[in-house]
Amino acid sequence: MKRPDITTILGILIGGGLVIIGILLRGNLGEFLDWAGLMITLGGSFGALLVFFRAEDIKMVLQVTKQAFVRSDEDVATLNERFVNLAQKARKEGLLVLEDELDEIEDPFMRNGLRMVIDGFEPDAIRHILNTELESLETRHQLGQNLYKTWGTLSPAFGMIGTLIGLIVMLAHLDDPDAIGPGMAVALITTFYGILLANLVFNPIAGKLSVYSEQEVHKKQAVIEALLALQSGINPRLLKEQLKAYLSPAERERVEEEERRAREEKEEDVMLDV
Amino acid sequence: MKRPDITTILGILIGGGLVIIGILLRGNLGEFLDWAGLMITLGGSFGALLVFFRAEDIKMVLQVTKQAFVRSDEDVATLNERFVNLAQKARKEGLLVLEDELDEIEDPFMRNGLRMVIDGFEPDAIRHILNTELESLETRHQLGQNLYKTWGTLSPAFGMIGTLIGLIVMLAHLDDPDAIGPGMAVALITTFYGILLANLVFNPIAGKLSVYSEQEVHKKQAVIEALLALQSGINPRLLKEQLKAYLSPAERERVEEEERRAREEKEEDVMLDV
Amino acid sequence: MKRPDITTILGILIGGGLVIIGILLRGNLGEFLDWAGLMITLGGSFGALLVFFRAEDIKMVLQVTKQAFVRSDEDVATLNERFVNLAQKARKEGLLVLEDELDEIEDPFMRNGLRMVIDGFEPDAIRHILNTELESLETRHQLGQNLYKTWGTLSPAFGMIGTLIGLIVMLAHLDDPDAIGPGMAVALITTFYGILLANLVFNPIAGKLSVYSEQEVHKKQAVIEALLALQSGINPRLLKEQLKAYLSPAERERVEEEERRAREEKEEDVMLDV
Amino acid sequence: MKRPDITTILGILIGGGLVIIGILLRGNLGEFLDWAGLMITLGGSFGALLVFFRAEDIKMVLQVTKQAFVRSDEDVATLNERFVNLAQKARKEGLLVLEDELDEIEDPFMRNGLRMVIDGFEPDAIRHILNTELESLETRHQLGQNLYKTWGTLSPAFGMIGTLIGLIVMLAHLDDPDAIGPGMAVALITTFYGILLANLVFNPIAGKLSVYSEQEVHKKQAVIEALLALQSGINPRLLKEQLKAYLSPAERERVEEEERRAREEKEEDVMLDV
Amino acid sequence: MKRPDITTILGILIGGGLVIIGILLRGNLGEFLDWAGLMITLGGSFGALLVFFRAEDIKMVLQVTKQAFVRSDEDVATLNERFVNLAQKARKEGLLVLEDELDEIEDPFMRNGLRMVIDGFEPDAIRHILNTELESLETRHQLGQNLYKTWGTLSPAFGMIGTLIGLIVMLAHLDDPDAIGPGMAVALITTFYGILLANLVFNPIAGKLSVYSEQEVHKKQAVIEALLALQSGINPRLLKEQLKAYLSPAERERVEEEERRAREEKEEDVMLDV
């Protein structure tokens, strides 16, 4: 299940809002709007971005950016539970019975892997194919991060180019001393744009994409390990222990709490039975 | 046992105190208080941080920060001694007798590992599970460090954004020459905030978290090695030698000093017996 | 097939065009033309580049730069199809029959590899030779990227050297206050050149070369894997699955869509036959 | 044998002396003494250092710093000769005879390793223990380097904080134009302190510690290899060849020159005998 | 065969010449000569370099620098041909016959390796010894590069120290407004020296040393592989194929062209014979 990542939106709103309030406290917003400056900073850096990357990567930008605003909800704990259930079923009724589960799996990576397990591919081949796929995934993820990181480097640079243009023009016409101040003010606006865009939008989005990428790779590594253990006919209890290692302490505590409670209830049942 | 890490607190007090004294020697503190500037620098960079990381990571910040102010006291030497004792016991009475020791172990990592040893898991499985857990731990630790390092990069950037706002407003109204000085003074304050916060608080805390993380990973690597040696029924004397390699020269000297003294006392006893 | 990479050219045109429009909106282009400044920035940094690299590397620059403006069209999907066909042919009629295909292969890396497969070289020798070749290729690619990255570092540095020259000369003759402004304007132009060249030309070209290099290495890794699988007499269906791991999700979807359609048509044929 | 490292002391004296002469040529030293500024730069950055590292690491600083001013003299060539002698002795009279040599070995790493060889530990255990010890050593060395590198980053930052304080105070009281110059002069002094300390003291000491660390690790790697070869009863001639690989070309030439001379003398003896 | 590397010298002449022309176009050279400034920038950074490195490394500087101006001519293609000839000879007449070739080999690395092959050392021992030697070589090379890279960082820093000295002195004596300009001009000269030295001399020389180091390591890796293949009695034709992987495409094309021509001539001979 996917739902919007509120922090990404909230962060931009808070950061941008505080900067606007800061401007309003000292001057007025109008002085900070300069379409020519925005064109140099944002448009110029986008032009350089077109040189940096391929056409298809630029198209991917929009798709990739969406990911920073949306989050997937299935956590590793739910995933582990699912695999322990699969392992129990496979132990009792054989691997072929898992065929019925295939359609319920949304994640194509996991579905593809499970299908190979059922089809009886060699464990080494499965590991190799899934690892190659995971590496391709990481490479694609890194491309998205690189694109925003690069934009985060280019936008202050083009901001400075805009400022240099403003300064040079202003300095070349120093006859009118009254024009110095406003000239410099206009010149500095592109630097302001460049640094703000880099530090509130481009770099943080690159960061969020990187955090999500790590999370997904971590989950997929657990999937690979679980699939291979499943194929080897692992004891579900050992699989549970193995997969626990992928949990954060908070998740692990929750899982162990649930286990304890389940055991106690069982024991109570047993005692009541007696 | 945990106790407060005095150096972290002391360092911030000393660094901050000296800066304040420096201010008092040259001007007065009032000129350095600017709520709007603090809002842009600290609030704006926090907004960008919300874009960078996930909501749950931001929550972890407070918990993680506490770790930089608190230190664990069990050192590697004590740990080694403990394992040598466990090894002696296991050699004499078998691994199952260690079950009684399980409840005395506070560290869940070590307790979990010892339980797997007692339960007779395969050595390779134990190593694999504990290593995966250790990697998860490192990943989590790095998240905390990254968060503060990122804040340490963002806060001077937002300080500069504040300064640019101040400069642009000031330069756009250059009519009153008397306002230039104070205007620039106010503009520079956010840069001052940004650099001070980054270099006295954010970056150093990231550093302390990294030092503690390395220390814990080092200790846990010794635990993994000791647990596997324990399971293999290692000679306690060899285990002692193996674990010594994890000690710093100071610790090792202390340990060897104690050994020498113990041996001498024994020899004296023998001599007295004779 | 090779065709021009429009984004590279478009990017430089857009970025450069927006900067020129920005200049025209504020002043006039004539103020931004300074042959002496261009000589220091571009010529000086090229001189430093001659110290940095060997004569033959400098010659390679032109050849390498062309690659950033031209793109190869054979994608991994087409490549995979080709290898699956080769595998089917080899399974039916033996490896030697592939000799006829050799002349149709344009890529010398793939042709050389297939020739070794047909000649019956040991798999380990083939892997070793092709990997060494791939590493040599990567090293050569990195040289091209390094050269432009280095130029991207040198050009702002020489821009600053030019600005320092202008400032020092201007400051040494401060008698005429009217000369201050134009003097500083001229001084700043080299910094403008240096930053613009680095961020619109040198660094982005280094980036594009790096993107193309990664793409080619990725494709060649798929070739190595496919060649070795071919030699081992792999089941074409498994090879297809293995090579799919090298596809991006978009390519994979397209391929799977085609497969589904092909299967359905077959089924329809079967049904019509019945 | 240890003796003072003259270059470290000489370097600081030369660098510092030239800066002082440079000051004297332009102004007078008194203008560059500002106790409040030194307090902010050196004291403030030391405070941040306390947050960065643990109390025991800070204590280690003094001990570590000493190492940058003192150098050990036993070179790899002498070490190799020693091991070839040990190997010859061990081949003739067995490993146990080396027990007598133990007390003559100063380096605890080598003594500890040789003791394990004599005690008949498994080669894999010896390699594992010594490698773990070597890694611990590297980690400790890196801590010392990190501390100085960190100080080298913090001191210009606190220098800039001092300058910002001075600028803000000066700008807030711009009434008296005569105070602008001296105010800015005082403000810039902390930046001067910060950059000078970082580039003449902190960063170079970190560099020297790193050079010595690499040298020691290199030597200890040769020790590990030699110890294991010793245990395996290696031919002393092969050991000599193996250890030669650790020598620099200058050392190697010297060693081979000595060998040639020794051989010639032998041959002359033989000829005289005849 | 060694011959001067013209690009290194040419690059410094071109870069330096263009800077001087740039100066002459705007002012006169005399304003850019400041012995005190040169002393602070070059002498001060050299002092810091003495702290950074050991006395023997500083001595190595001169020797190392020479390498950036001299280039070795034996390319990988010639080397490969040589080894294929050795392999043919060894196949026909045995490895011992190669003893006669030993004296003709100039490169001590290759001669030493071939001697071990003839002496019948174990392949693993040969690989281990040569790899250790290659690592030592890389470490030494990196030292030279590090030294120049470090100087390239220190020289702008000391340039800035010189500028700060000039600014502080000038600002402390702001009474005479006519002295401001020339004072700042003199102050900026050290920054000019520092950036020019770093970007035209120190960093580029570090780069050239790194390019030559990579080239030599690449060649020596081919030597190691060829020596071990020689010992294993490899088929000269396979060795030729293996070593081709170390060639650049240009070299490879040339070699294959020669092969084709040789083959055609042979065929012509055969046809003429018929």
Side-chain angles (χ1 to χ4, degrees), chain C residues 34-37 39-40 42-58 108 111-112 115-116 119 121 125 128-130 132-137 139-140 142-143 146 153-154 157-158 160-169 171-174 186-187 189-190, chain E residues 5 7-12 14-15 17-23 25-28 31-32 68 71 177-178 180-186 188-189 191-192 195-196 199-201 203-209 211-212 214-215 218 225 237-238 241-242 244-249 252 256:
Chain C
D34 177 28
W35 294 109
M39 188 191 73
I40 292 178
L42 201 54
S45 59
F46 185 76
L49 215 61
L50 283 170
V51 186
F52 246 109
F53 295 94
R54 291 176 300 172
E56 52 265 46
D57 303 334
I58 304 288
R111 193 174 54 226
N112 187 24
R115 196 165 47 71
M116 287 194 287
D119 287 0
F121 280 43
H128 181 72
I129 290 175
L130 290 181
T132 312
E133 216 170 291
L134 192 52
E135 277 166 34
S136 295
L137 181 90
T139 309
R140 275 197 313 282
Q142 270 161 18
L143 185 76
N146 277 347
T153 320
L154 288 171
F158 275 86
M160 203 178 166
I161 288 171
T163 296
L164 283 166
I165 293 176
L167 283 179
I168 292 171
V169 170
L171 288 165
H173 305 279
L174 215 57
V186 169
I189 280 177
T190 51
Chain E
D5 180 341
T7 35
T8 306
I9 301 155
L10 211 72
I12 293 182
I14 289 177
L18 288 178
V19 167
I20 289 176
I21 292 173
I23 291 176
L25 283 174
R26 290 196 174 148
N28 62 317
E31 285 157 357
F32 286 82
R71 48 181 305 168
D178 286 354
I180 297 177
M184 280 192 70
V186 169
L188 284 177
I189 282 177
T191 294
F192 169 76
I195 296 180
L196 189 62
N199 286 287
L200 188 57
V201 182
N203 287 334
I205 283 183
K208 178 69 70 81
L209 290 174
V211 167
Y212 279 158
E214 270 176 43
Q215 177 186 341
H218 186 73
E225 183 164 341
R237 207 171 66 88
L238 179 58
E241 208 59 45
Q242 252 184 43
K244 243 188 231 168
Y246 287 94
L247 297 177
S248 72
R252 181 185 304 225
E256 288 181 348

Side-chain angles (χ1 to χ4, degrees), chain D:
Chain D
M1 218 182 74
K2 306 253 175 186
R3 56 182 176 76
D5 180 341
I6 305 168
T7 34
T8 306
I9 302 155
L10 210 73
I12 293 182
L13 289 180
I14 289 177
L18 288 178
V19 167
I20 289 176
I21 293 173
I23 291 176
L24 291 173
L25 283 173
R26 290 194 174 149
N28 63 318
L29 266 182
E31 286 157 356
F32 285 82
L33 254 183
D34 177 28
W35 294 110
L38 202 61
M39 189 191 72
I40 292 177
T41 313
L42 201 54
S45 59
F46 185 76
L49 215 60
L50 284 170
V51 186
F52 246 109
F53 295 94
R54 293 176 298 173
E56 53 264 47
D57 301 335
I58 305 287
K59 273 185 218 150
M60 224 182 68
V61 173
L62 270 174
Q63 194 186 332
V64 148
T65 311
K66 221 174 49 194
Q67 280 176 21
F69 292 89
V70 166
R71 48 181 305 169
S72 141
D73 257 359
E74 195 188 31
D75 57 1
V76 184
T78 320
L79 196 86
N80 292 357
E81 211 177 316
R82 198 166 188 172
F83 267 109
V84 172
N85 289 338
L86 286 178
Q88 283 169 332
K89 215 168 167 183
R91 267 221 147 178
K92 281 191 216 145
E93 316 175 44
L95 280 167
L96 288 178
V97 101
L98 300 182
E99 190 113 43
D100 309 338
E101 309 275 341
L102 269 180
D103 292 336
E104 282 170 38
I105 300 172
E106 279 175 43
D107 179 22
F109 181 84
M110 189 176 154
R111 194 176 51 229
N112 187 24
L114 189 55
R115 197 165 45 71
M116 288 194 287
V117 165
I118 297 170
D119 287 1
F121 281 43
E122 287 287 304
D124 279 353
I126 296 180
R127 182 194 299 279
H128 181 72
I129 290 175
L130 291 181
N131 273 337
T132 311
E133 216 170 291
L134 191 52
E135 277 167 33
S136 296
L137 181 90
E138 277 190 274
T139 309
R140 276 196 313 281
H141 281 185
Q142 270 161 17
L143 186 75
Q145 297 159 34
N146 277 348
L147 204 144
Y148 275 103
K149 255 188 223 158
T150 305
W151 212 350
T153 320
L154 288 171
S155 86
F158 275 86
M160 203 177 166
I161 288 172
T163 296
L164 284 167
I165 293 177
L167 282 179
I168 292 172
V169 169
M170 186 269 284
L171 288 164
H173 305 279
L174 215 58
D175 330 319
D176 179 14
D178 286 354
I180 298 177
M184 280 192 70
V186 169
L188 284 177
I189 281 177
T190 51
T191 294
F192 169 75
Y193 288 160
I195 297 181
L196 188 62
L197 283 169
N199 287 287
L200 188 56
V201 183
F202 300 141
N203 287 334
I205 283 183
K208 178 69 72 75
L209 289 174
S210 152
V211 167
Y212 279 157
S213 171
E214 270 177 42
Q215 178 187 341
E216 202 176 332
V217 167
H218 187 74
K219 219 166 81 180
K220 285 200 165 23
Q221 280 170 338
V223 166
I224 295 180
E225 183 163 341
L227 281 169
L228 289 169
L230 200 68
Q231 192 183 35
S232 73
I234 198 175
N235 181 329
R237 207 171 67 88
L238 179 57
L239 177 63
K240 196 175 206 165
E241 207 59 46
Q242 252 184 44
L243 292 179
K244 242 188 232 170
Y246 286 94
L247 297 177
S248 72
E251 288 173 316
R252 181 185 303 226
E253 220 161 86
R254 220 190 51 218
V255 166
E256 288 181 347
E257 184 60 35
E258 280 170 20
E259 284 176 21
R260 208 169 315 130
R261 217 172 297 155
R263 227 178 305 140
E264 283 169 15
E265 279 173 22
K266 227 182 182 175
E267 283 169 13
E268 279 175 24
D269 288 0
V270 174
M271 285 166 78
L272 288 176
D273 282 0
V274 174

Side-chain angles (χ1 to χ4, degrees), chain C residues 107-120:
Chain C
D107 179 22
F109 181 84
M110 190 176 154
R111 193 174 54 226
N112 187 24
L114 189 55
R115 196 165 47 71
M116 287 194 287
V117 165
I118 297 170
D119 287 0

Side-chain angles (χ1 to χ4, degrees), chain A residues 57-69:
Chain A
D57 302 334
I58 304 286
K59 274 184 217 151
M60 224 183 67
V61 174
L62 270 174
Q63 193 185 332
V64 148
T65 311
K66 222 173 50 194
Q67 281 176 20
F69 292 89

